[in-house]
Amino acid sequence: MELTVYLAGQIHDDWREQVKQLVQEKNLPYRFVEPQTNHDLSDNIGEDILGGQPNKLFKDDAASDINNFRTQVLMQKADIVIALFGEEYRQWNTAMDAATAVTLGKPLILVRPEKLIHPLKELANKANVTVETIEQAVQVLEYVFR
């Protein structure tokens, strides 16, 4: 049995590749889907599909509609969601994806550093498991098949 994991979180470093590598090293039966990690494509997809928009508000709104559609499709197909909150970036999209996972009843692993314990306390309370590192998140994935 292969399970699908949706990897929600910031797109500015290689944390997704680290998760995939750790899972591969453990020979675990998971496949991965994720938000659009090409920042320019994500920001411009509304205009790419619908044409030029009259201002930045409409440009962002058009892109958000299409990005939210993509996220909803992929997350609904996922068996598990990992939402990573890193230390460096404001991560409204991660919070949105984690809340969507909770709303959809998807098992959620929340990864957040110690300094974000207080700001993420309500979201951590709704997650199935909260950890501090991606290695711990992979250990949770491993436990599913142990």
Side-chain angles (χ1 to χ4, degrees), residues 5-122:
V5 179
Y6 185 92
L7 298 173
Q10 56 89 9
I11 63 172
H12 303 288
D13 64 28
D14 69 342
W15 76 270
R16 286 180 180 81
E17 295 310 312
Q18 293 174 40
V19 169
K20 293 173 190 177
Q21 181 64 37
L22 289 168
V23 165
Q24 183 179 16
E25 288 171 7
K26 294 177 180 290
N27 199 30
L28 299 172
Y30 289 100
R31 66 182 287 273
F32 298 93
V33 293
E34 56 201 39
Q36 179 55 255
T37 58
N38 178 324
H39 199 264
D40 289 337
L41 178 58
S42 176
D43 282 352
N44 295 317
I45 192 64
E47 289 189 327
D48 290 350
I49 293 174
L50 301 172
Q53 299 297 306
N55 59 44
K56 289 181 181 184
L57 174 68
F58 286 94
K59 176 183 176 179
D60 283 348
D61 191 55
S64 292
D65 285 345
I66 297 166
N67 283 312
N68 286 333
F69 175 84
R70 183 180 186 281
T71 298
Q72 184 176 356
V73 168
L74 293 176
M75 198 176 290
Q76 283 182 354
K77 296 291 184 183
D79 300 296
I80 298 167
V81 175
I82 295 176
L84 178 125
F85 287 86
E87 303 223 12
E88 189 172 344
Y89 302 97
R90 292 186 178 155
Q91 297 161 72
W92 298 285
N93 290 347
T94 307
M96 182 73 168
D97 286 353
T100 299
V102 169
T103 301
L104 292 173
K106 298 293 177 176
L108 173 62
I109 301 170
L110 185 73
V111 183
R112 55 102 184 95
E114 185 177 343
K115 80 175 196 176
L116 295 179
I117 288 174
H118 180 73
L120 293 174
K121 65 186 180 294
E122 283 83 6

Side-chain angles (χ1 to χ4, degrees), residues 4 34 69 134 144:
T4 300
E34 56 201 39
F69 175 84
I134 60 172
V144 171

